[in-house]
């Protein structure tokens, strides 16, 4: 670790369901990787339709049951809308409003293409239909997208790179401008009715919380290229990354919040101890 600086990690769940073993693993890894530094909690509740107060309360209870200790106060994204609006305003010259729905995007991509449509971390790669529209005629139902080609040009760079201390730690992970355009495309910075998106909020908040090591599941590995691009545009530091393995069920399927039967608290109710949970997770 550079210069012996204090490591700060975070666990950033969305209160859209009960935590399961995969969350327990992510939280335990985040705390372990902070040690002896600081471990923070951030409630990612920008999706007001899906987030519930009772799930947020359950997060606190379940993490405490696991024996985790986190710094206070806890950051909640629903309290941070002004910070996201400011960031969006700074990026405004590189953004445009988009009214395309999933069906429009599929139709536009299908026209020149046969077979599998290009997809990235957020689903289909946006074909740029609305790219020439101006923010001045943004409608209330529009999302705001980043013009990624212009973003690279504005920065004068042709690739994005980051380090992951868990995956090939002595090499940069690199994505070129063309790979970004073909494989990710113009990402959404503000979703309908939210004033931000996961990508924008996570970048603004990791910087605001002074996170030095972002620990999270490998499913978010490709999103990291988006985050590093946004960090550069907003002149925020790029932390070190640590993408860990995903916890799967006996059939190899990744655990999801909707598999309520596997909720962490049910293990406790059935008599398991936090130590048993750690053993199940090979921690
Ligand atoms: N809120 C995200 C999730 O629950 C985690 C985001 C992150 O760690 O960057 O999957």
């Amino acid at each position: 670790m550079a210069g012996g600086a204090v490591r700060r990690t975070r666990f950033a769940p969305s209160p859209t369901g009960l935590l399961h073993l995969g969350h327990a693993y992510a939280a335990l890894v985040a705390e372990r990787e902070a040690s002896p530094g600081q471990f923070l909690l951030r409630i990612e509740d920008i999706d007001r339709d899906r987030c519930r107060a009772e799930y947020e309360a359950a997060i606190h209870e379940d993490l405490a049951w696991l024996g985790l200790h986190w710094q206070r106060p806890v950051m909640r994204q629903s309290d941070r809308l002004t910070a996201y609006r400011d960031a969006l305003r700074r990026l405004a010259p590189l953004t445009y409003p988009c009214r395309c729905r999933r069906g429009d995007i599929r139709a536009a991509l299908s026209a020149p293409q046969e077979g599998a449509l290009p997809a990235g971390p957020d689903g289909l790669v946006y074909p740029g239909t609305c790219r020439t529209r101006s923010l001045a005629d943004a409608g209330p139902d529009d999302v705001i997208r980043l013009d990624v080609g212009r973003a690279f040009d504005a920065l004068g760079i042709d690739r994005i790179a980051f380090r992951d201390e868990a995956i090939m730690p002595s090499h940069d992970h690199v994505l070129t401008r063309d790979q970004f355009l073909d494989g990710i495309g113009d990402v959404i910075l503000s979703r309908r009715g939210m004033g931000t998106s996961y990508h924008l909020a996570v970048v603004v908040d990791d910087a605001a919380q002074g996170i030095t090591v972002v620990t999270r599941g490998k499913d978010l590995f490709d999103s990291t290229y988006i985050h590093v691009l946004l960090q550069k545009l907003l002149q925020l530091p790029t932390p070190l990354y640590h993408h860990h393995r995903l916890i799967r069920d006996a059939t190899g399927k990744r655990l999801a919040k909707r598999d309520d039967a596997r909720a962490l608290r049910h293990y406790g109710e059935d008599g398991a101890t936090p130590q048993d949970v750690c053993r199940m997770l090979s921690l």
Side-chain angles (χ1 to χ4, degrees), residues 64-121:
W65 177 77
L66 272 179
L68 295 173
H69 299 279
W70 55 95
Q71 306 275 311
R72 319 283 165 151
V74 171
M75 180 177 276
R76 294 169 80 228
Q77 291 195 321
S78 53
D79 295 334
R80 306 258 311 139
L81 300 183
T82 313
Y84 308 142
R85 199 177 51 221
D86 289 349
L88 202 55
R89 199 174 289 146
R90 285 181 59 194
L91 297 173
L94 300 172
T95 64
Y96 60 89
C98 170
R99 63 167 74 99
C100 299
R101 302 290 166 136
R102 195 193 298 266
D104 303 323
I105 297 174
R106 184 168 288 279
L109 287 171
S110 303
Q113 189 124 352
E114 269 182 34
L117 301 178

Side-chain angles (χ1 to χ4, degrees), residues 33-245:
E33 291 303 322
S35 179
Q38 295 173 337
F39 167 59
L40 287 76
L41 175 63
R42 181 168 72 230
I43 303 294
E44 302 216 322
D45 59 348
I46 48 173
D47 187 344
R48 304 308 292 160
D49 291 340
R50 294 177 57 227
C51 293
R52 301 267 179 278
E54 58 268 30
Y55 291 135
E56 187 174 334
I59 289 171
H60 286 255
E61 288 163 17
D62 290 352
L63 296 182
W65 177 77
L66 272 179
L68 295 173
H69 299 279
W70 55 95
Q71 306 275 311
R72 319 283 165 151
V74 171
M75 180 177 276
R76 294 169 80 228
Q77 291 195 321
S78 53
D79 295 334
R80 306 258 311 139
L81 300 183
T82 313
Y84 308 142
R85 199 177 51 221
D86 289 349
L88 202 55
R89 199 174 289 146
R90 285 181 59 194
L91 297 173
L94 300 172
T95 64
Y96 60 89
C98 170
R99 63 167 74 99
C100 299
R101 302 290 166 136
R102 195 193 298 266
D104 303 323
I105 297 174
R106 184 168 288 279
L109 287 171
S110 303
Q113 189 124 352
E114 269 182 34
L117 301 178
D122 292 340
L124 295 176
V125 175
Y126 184 63
T129 319
C130 287
R131 200 176 283 143
T132 53
R133 288 183 58 207
S134 140
L135 271 186
D137 37 75
D141 286 340
D142 290 351
V143 302
I144 306 292
R145 288 185 184 273
L146 179 69
D147 184 332
V148 167
R150 280 205 293 135
F152 271 89
D153 294 347
L155 291 166
I157 58 174
D158 64 358
R159 62 196 52 223
I160 288 292
F162 69 89
R163 282 284 168 125
D164 190 307
E165 61 179 17
I167 304 171
M168 293 203 315
S170 50
H171 291 80
D172 279 346
H173 295 276
V174 176
L175 196 71
T176 65
R177 178 187 196 271
D178 289 345
Q179 288 169 331
F180 200 124
L181 289 170
D182 295 345
I184 299 178
D186 288 353
V187 287
I188 295 180
L189 297 186
S190 178
R191 292 195 174 273
R192 248 166 240 121
M194 282 195 211
T196 185
S197 67
Y198 158 65
H199 300 303
L200 184 66
V202 85
V203 162
V204 170
D205 290 344
D206 281 336
Q209 289 191 297
I211 300 302
T212 63
V213 188
V214 170
T215 68
R216 58 186 178 200
K218 272 187 185 163
D219 53 327
L220 289 168
F221 186 91
D222 287 341
S223 294
T224 302
Y225 293 109
I226 302 170
H227 301 170
V228 177
L229 177 63
L230 293 176
Q231 286 151 7
K232 289 186 178 302
L233 292 168
L234 292 166
Q235 294 171 297
L236 299 173
T238 291
L240 192 55
Y241 285 87
H242 179 121
H243 291 96
H244 57 69
R245 69 186 175 94

